[in-house]
Amino acid sequence: MLIFRFQCPECGFGDREVGHLTDEGEIHCIVCLEEQGRRIRLRCWEEPEQARLRLAAEAA
Ligand SMILES: [Zn+2]
């Protein structure tokens, strides 16, 4: 299972608000887009636990 976290560097909108990525192909902040007309690229990363497990699997 792959868990993505994301947050907008401009307004702070992120996965805590929606719980998941709404559109995997267009990773921009919908708040900044709708309210300001700006296309702010969301900062995305995997859950630390998932990344650590993957690193352990690759090292084995
Ligand atoms: Zn934003």
Side-chain angles (χ1 to χ4, degrees), residues 12-58:
F13 169 81
D15 60 281
R16 289 184 181 180
E17 276 72 45
V18 296
H20 59 87
L21 280 175
T22 55
D23 188 344
E24 295 181 7
E26 193 76 14
I27 309 178
H28 293 94
C29 177
I30 60 174
V31 177
C32 288
L33 183 61
E34 291 181 356
E35 294 187 356
Q36 304 177 44
R38 302 171 64 194
R39 298 177 70 84
I40 306 300
R41 187 173 178 83
L42 293 172
R43 200 164 54 87
C44 301
W45 69 96
E46 297 176 21
E47 284 281 51
E49 290 81 1
Q50 296 295 319
R52 191 170 67 240
L53 286 173
R54 189 180 62 190
L55 288 175
E58 291 176 350

